[in-house]
Protein backbone atom coordinates (compact mmCIF):
# COMPACT_ATOMS: atom_id res chain seq x y z
CA UNK A 1 0.00 0.00 0.00
CA UNK A 2 1.41 3.40 -1.01
CA UNK A 3 2.23 6.03 1.58
CA UNK A 4 -0.26 8.44 0.00
CA UNK A 5 -3.04 5.88 0.33
CA UNK A 6 -2.15 5.21 3.97
CA UNK A 7 -2.23 8.95 4.72
CA UNK A 8 -5.64 9.27 3.02
CA UNK A 9 -7.06 6.33 4.96
CA UNK A 10 -5.69 7.63 8.26
CA UNK A 11 -7.18 11.06 7.57
CA UNK A 12 -10.58 9.51 6.77
CA UNK A 13 -10.55 7.42 9.92
CA UNK A 14 -9.47 10.33 12.13
CA UNK A 15 -12.24 12.50 10.70
CA UNK A 16 -14.76 9.72 11.24
CA UNK A 17 -13.58 9.26 14.83
CA UNK A 18 -13.93 12.97 15.55
CA UNK A 19 -17.46 13.02 14.13
CA UNK A 20 -18.49 9.91 16.07
CA UNK A 21 -17.05 11.34 19.30
CA UNK A 22 -19.06 14.52 18.75
CA UNK A 23 -22.18 12.41 18.16
CA UNK A 24 -21.59 10.46 21.36
CA UNK A 25 -21.18 13.70 23.31
CA UNK A 26 -24.31 15.20 21.77
CA UNK A 27 -26.64 12.16 21.61
CA UNK A 28 -25.25 9.91 24.31
CA UNK A 29 -23.48 6.53 24.41
CA UNK A 30 -25.77 4.68 22.02
CA UNK A 31 -24.75 1.12 21.20
CA UNK A 32 -24.34 1.69 17.44
CA UNK A 33 -22.20 4.80 17.98
CA UNK A 34 -19.93 3.09 20.49
CA UNK A 35 -19.56 0.04 18.24
CA UNK A 36 -18.55 2.20 15.28
CA UNK A 37 -16.16 4.19 17.46
CA UNK A 38 -14.50 0.95 18.58
CA UNK A 39 -14.18 -0.22 14.96
CA UNK A 40 -12.61 3.09 13.93
CA UNK A 41 -10.14 3.00 16.83
CA UNK A 42 -9.17 -0.56 15.93
CA UNK A 43 -8.68 0.38 12.28
CA UNK A 44 -6.56 3.41 13.23
CA UNK A 45 -4.34 1.11 15.26
CA UNK A 46 -3.81 -1.15 12.23
CA UNK A 47 -3.31 1.44 9.48
CA UNK A 48 0.16 1.09 8.05
CA UNK A 49 0.67 -2.40 9.51
CA UNK A 50 0.49 -5.79 7.80
CA UNK A 51 -2.83 -6.50 9.52
CA UNK A 52 -4.74 -3.64 7.91
CA UNK A 53 -6.64 -4.26 4.68
CA UNK A 54 -6.52 -8.05 5.03
CA UNK A 55 -9.68 -9.98 4.08
CA UNK A 56 -11.09 -11.90 7.04
CA UNK A 57 -12.15 -14.77 4.74
CA UNK A 58 -9.27 -15.48 2.37
CA UNK A 59 -6.48 -13.49 4.12
CA UNK A 60 -5.79 -11.72 0.83
CA UNK A 61 -5.45 -7.96 0.43
CA UNK A 62 -8.48 -5.75 0.02
CA UNK A 63 -7.91 -3.41 -2.93
CA UNK A 64 -6.82 0.15 -2.10
CA UNK A 65 -9.72 1.68 -4.04
CA UNK A 66 -12.20 -0.37 -1.98
CA UNK A 67 -10.56 0.72 1.28
CA UNK A 68 -10.65 4.36 0.18
CA UNK A 69 -14.37 3.96 -0.43
CA UNK A 70 -14.81 2.34 3.01
CA UNK A 71 -11.75 2.29 5.33
CA UNK A 72 -13.52 -0.21 7.63
CA UNK A 73 -14.08 -2.78 4.89
CA UNK A 74 -13.14 -6.24 6.26
CA UNK A 75 -13.65 -8.36 3.13
CA UNK A 76 -12.64 -8.52 -0.50
CA UNK A 77 -14.88 -10.14 -3.12
CA UNK A 78 -13.42 -13.62 -2.54
CA UNK A 79 -16.61 -15.07 -1.04
CA UNK A 80 -18.77 -14.06 -4.00
CA UNK A 81 -19.35 -16.40 -6.89
CA UNK A 82 -18.70 -15.19 -10.43
CA UNK A 83 -22.45 -14.73 -10.90
CA UNK A 84 -22.73 -12.73 -7.67
CA UNK A 85 -19.80 -10.51 -8.62
CA UNK A 86 -21.38 -9.88 -12.01
CA UNK A 87 -24.72 -9.03 -10.38
CA UNK A 88 -22.98 -6.67 -7.95
CA UNK A 89 -21.13 -4.93 -10.78
CA UNK A 90 -24.42 -4.59 -12.68
CA UNK A 91 -26.18 -3.07 -9.66
CA UNK A 92 -23.34 -0.62 -9.03
CA UNK A 93 -23.29 0.34 -12.69
CA UNK A 94 -27.03 0.97 -12.63
CA UNK A 95 -26.71 3.01 -9.42
CA UNK A 96 -24.00 5.09 -11.06
CA UNK A 97 -26.17 5.80 -14.12
CA UNK A 98 -29.08 6.81 -11.90
CA UNK A 99 -26.88 9.11 -9.85
CA UNK A 100 -25.35 10.74 -12.93
CA UNK A 101 -28.87 11.33 -14.26
CA UNK A 102 -29.64 13.36 -11.10
CA UNK A 103 -26.83 15.79 -11.82
CA UNK A 104 -27.72 19.10 -13.50
CA UNK A 105 -26.43 20.36 -16.82
CA UNK A 106 -22.67 20.91 -16.28
CA UNK A 107 -22.95 24.18 -18.23
CA UNK A 108 -26.18 25.55 -16.75
CA UNK A 109 -27.42 29.03 -17.65
CA UNK A 110 -30.10 31.39 -16.48
CA UNK A 111 -30.81 34.84 -17.90
CA UNK A 112 -28.09 36.50 -15.80
CA UNK A 113 -25.84 33.67 -14.62
CA UNK A 114 -23.63 30.97 -16.11
CA UNK A 115 -22.54 28.02 -13.99
CA UNK A 116 -20.09 25.18 -14.55
CA UNK A 117 -19.01 22.21 -12.47
CA UNK A 118 -16.99 19.03 -12.81
CA UNK A 119 -18.08 15.92 -10.91
CA UNK A 120 -15.49 13.17 -10.41
CA UNK A 121 -16.59 10.53 -7.86
CA UNK A 122 -13.85 8.42 -6.27
CA UNK A 123 -15.87 5.22 -6.78
CA UNK A 124 -18.82 3.93 -8.83
CA UNK A 125 -21.23 6.03 -6.75
CA UNK A 126 -20.62 9.00 -4.50
CA UNK A 127 -22.00 10.98 -1.58
CA UNK A 128 -20.96 14.30 -3.10
CA UNK A 129 -24.00 16.49 -3.75
CA UNK A 130 -23.89 19.03 -6.56
CA UNK A 131 -27.00 20.78 -7.84
CA UNK A 132 -28.20 23.77 -9.88
CA UNK A 133 -31.82 24.71 -10.44
CA UNK A 134 -34.22 27.53 -11.23
CA UNK A 135 -37.71 28.14 -9.87
CA UNK A 136 -40.95 29.30 -11.51
CA UNK A 137 -41.61 32.97 -10.88
CA UNK A 138 -37.94 33.80 -10.26
CA UNK A 139 -36.69 34.38 -13.79
CA UNK A 140 -32.95 34.96 -13.89
CA UNK A 141 -32.34 33.60 -10.37
CA UNK A 142 -30.12 30.56 -10.09
CA UNK A 143 -30.08 28.27 -7.05
CA UNK A 144 -27.09 26.07 -6.28
CA UNK A 145 -26.07 23.51 -3.67
CA UNK A 146 -22.89 21.64 -2.77
CA UNK A 147 -22.71 18.97 -0.12
CA UNK A 148 -20.75 16.01 1.16
CA UNK A 149 -22.39 13.03 2.82
CA UNK A 150 -20.39 11.14 5.45
CA UNK A 151 -18.75 8.01 4.09
CA UNK A 152 -18.77 6.82 0.52
CA UNK A 153 -20.50 4.27 -1.64
CA UNK A 154 -24.15 3.33 -1.96
CA UNK A 155 -25.23 4.48 1.53
CA UNK A 156 -23.82 7.97 0.94
CA UNK A 157 -25.32 8.07 -2.55
CA UNK A 158 -28.78 7.32 -1.11
CA UNK A 159 -28.54 10.34 1.19
CA UNK A 160 -27.31 12.46 -1.72
CA UNK A 161 -30.43 11.45 -3.68
CA UNK A 162 -32.53 12.29 -0.60
CA UNK A 163 -31.19 15.86 -0.58
CA UNK A 164 -31.74 16.20 -4.32
CA UNK A 165 -35.38 15.12 -4.00
CA UNK A 166 -35.99 17.51 -1.11
CA UNK A 167 -34.81 20.65 -2.89
CA UNK A 168 -36.56 19.80 -6.16
CA UNK A 169 -39.86 19.00 -4.43
CA UNK A 170 -40.30 22.42 -2.79
CA UNK A 171 -43.57 24.20 -3.68
CA UNK A 172 -43.51 27.24 -5.96
CA UNK A 173 -42.70 30.60 -4.46
CA UNK A 174 -39.62 32.26 -3.04
CA UNK A 175 -38.11 30.51 -0.01
CA UNK A 176 -35.77 31.97 2.58
CA UNK A 177 -32.57 29.93 2.49
CA UNK A 178 -32.11 29.64 6.26
CA UNK A 179 -35.49 27.98 6.95
CA UNK A 180 -35.07 25.89 3.79
CA UNK A 181 -31.81 24.39 5.07
CA UNK A 182 -33.37 23.89 8.51
CA UNK A 183 -36.14 21.81 6.92
CA UNK A 184 -33.55 19.77 5.01
CA UNK A 185 -31.71 19.20 8.29
CA UNK A 186 -34.88 17.96 10.01
CA UNK A 187 -35.59 15.64 7.08
CA UNK A 188 -32.16 14.00 7.36
CA UNK A 189 -32.41 13.74 11.15
CA UNK A 190 -35.78 11.99 10.90
CA UNK A 191 -34.91 9.61 8.06
CA UNK A 192 -31.27 8.58 8.58
CA UNK A 193 -29.10 6.89 11.20
CA UNK A 194 -27.42 9.18 13.75
CA UNK A 195 -24.04 8.01 12.44
CA UNK A 196 -24.72 9.54 9.02
CA UNK A 197 -24.67 13.26 8.29
CA UNK A 198 -24.05 15.74 5.49
CA UNK A 199 -22.35 19.10 5.23
CA UNK A 200 -24.08 21.50 2.88
CA UNK A 201 -23.91 24.89 1.19
CA UNK A 202 -27.07 26.25 -0.44
CA UNK A 203 -27.05 29.51 -2.39
CA UNK A 204 -29.11 31.80 -4.56
CA UNK A 205 -27.76 34.19 -7.21
CA UNK A 206 -30.32 36.83 -8.17
CA UNK A 207 -30.83 39.22 -11.08
CA UNK A 208 -29.07 42.10 -9.28
CA UNK A 209 -25.78 40.22 -9.13
CA UNK A 210 -26.22 39.39 -5.44
CA UNK A 211 -25.31 35.96 -4.08
CA UNK A 212 -26.85 34.72 -0.84
CA UNK A 213 -25.56 31.55 0.85
CA UNK A 214 -26.18 29.37 3.88
CA UNK A 215 -23.30 27.18 5.03
CA UNK A 216 -24.19 24.15 7.18
CA UNK A 217 -20.77 22.86 8.26
CA UNK A 218 -19.26 22.67 4.77
CA UNK A 219 -15.84 23.85 3.61
CA UNK A 220 -15.54 27.60 2.85
CA UNK A 221 -17.48 27.93 -0.43
CA UNK A 222 -15.81 31.02 -1.94
CA UNK A 223 -12.48 31.50 -3.71
CA UNK A 224 -11.50 35.17 -3.84
CA UNK A 225 -8.41 36.13 -5.84
CA UNK A 226 -6.72 39.42 -6.49
CA UNK A 227 -8.13 40.93 -9.67
Amino acid sequence: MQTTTIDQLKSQLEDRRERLQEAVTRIGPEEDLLRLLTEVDAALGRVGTDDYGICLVCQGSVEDRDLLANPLLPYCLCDLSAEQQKALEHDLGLARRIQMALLPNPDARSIHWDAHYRYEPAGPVSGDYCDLWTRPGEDGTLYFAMGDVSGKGVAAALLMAHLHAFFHAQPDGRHELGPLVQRANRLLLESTLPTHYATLVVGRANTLGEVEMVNAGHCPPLVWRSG
Side-chain angles (χ1 to χ4, degrees):
M1 188 178 295
Q2 296 181 355
T3 302
T4 302
T5 302
I6 293 174
D7 291 342
Q8 289 175 320
L9 289 168
K10 187 176 181 180
S11 176
Q12 279 195 45
L13 288 166
E14 289 174 343
D15 176 70
R16 188 171 298 192
R17 190 189 192 287
E18 182 180 346
R19 299 287 185 173
L20 284 169
Q21 191 63 61
E22 290 176 358
V24 170
T25 302
R26 185 177 67 255
I27 300 171
E30 293 191 0
E31 183 178 350
D32 286 343
L33 291 174
L34 294 177
R35 176 181 54 80
L36 284 171
L37 192 56
T38 300
E39 291 179 3
V40 170
D41 283 339
L44 274 170
R46 298 195 311 273
V47 170
T49 71
D50 294 338
D51 292 333
Y52 184 72
I54 299 300
C55 175
L56 296 182
V57 175
C58 71
Q59 302 303 306
S61 297
V62 181
E63 292 190 16
D64 288 358
R65 64 177 183 179
D66 295 330
L67 286 172
L68 287 170
N70 179 7
L72 298 179
L73 192 67
Y75 306 107
C76 64
L77 298 179
C78 63
D79 57 339
L80 297 181
S81 66
E83 291 77 12
Q84 289 173 321
Q85 289 190 36
K86 186 175 181 180
L88 178 60
E89 290 173 359
H90 176 269
D91 287 346
L92 286 174
L94 180 59
R96 176 181 175 82
R97 291 197 296 274
I98 291 174
Q99 185 174 55
M100 298 306 288
L102 294 177
L103 293 173
N105 183 344
D107 296 294
R109 292 186 175 185
S110 68
I111 297 174
H112 297 280
W113 294 92
D114 295 342
H116 176 77
Y117 71 91
R118 185 172 65 182
Y119 193 87
E120 295 183 359
V125 290
S126 170
D128 296 317
Y129 177 45
C130 175
D131 210 351
L132 299 161
W133 70 96
T134 57
R135 297 187 55 79
E138 293 188 74
D139 293 339
T141 297
L142 183 67
Y143 286 80
F144 58 90
M146 297 174 291
D148 186 13
V149 178
S150 61
K152 292 179 172 62
V154 175
L158 285 172
L159 293 189
M160 174 270 193
H162 215 34
L163 284 171
H164 178 278
F166 170 81
F167 287 113
H168 286 262
Q170 295 302 305
D172 291 349
R174 192 179 187 277
H175 297 273
E176 294 299 323
L177 294 187
L180 184 66
V181 173
Q182 288 179 339
R183 292 196 296 274
N185 182 56
R186 285 198 299 271
L187 174 72
L188 287 184
L189 285 173
E190 293 168 358
S191 59
T192 62
L193 296 173
T195 51
H196 288 72
Y197 61 91
T199 61
L200 182 68
V201 172
V202 178
R204 172 170 49 212
N206 67 21
T207 57
L208 300 177
E210 300 169 333
V211 178
E212 176 188 2
M213 286 186 290
V214 171
N215 189 340
H218 200 63
C219 302
L222 293 179
V223 177
W224 187 287
R225 294 190 177 96
S226 174

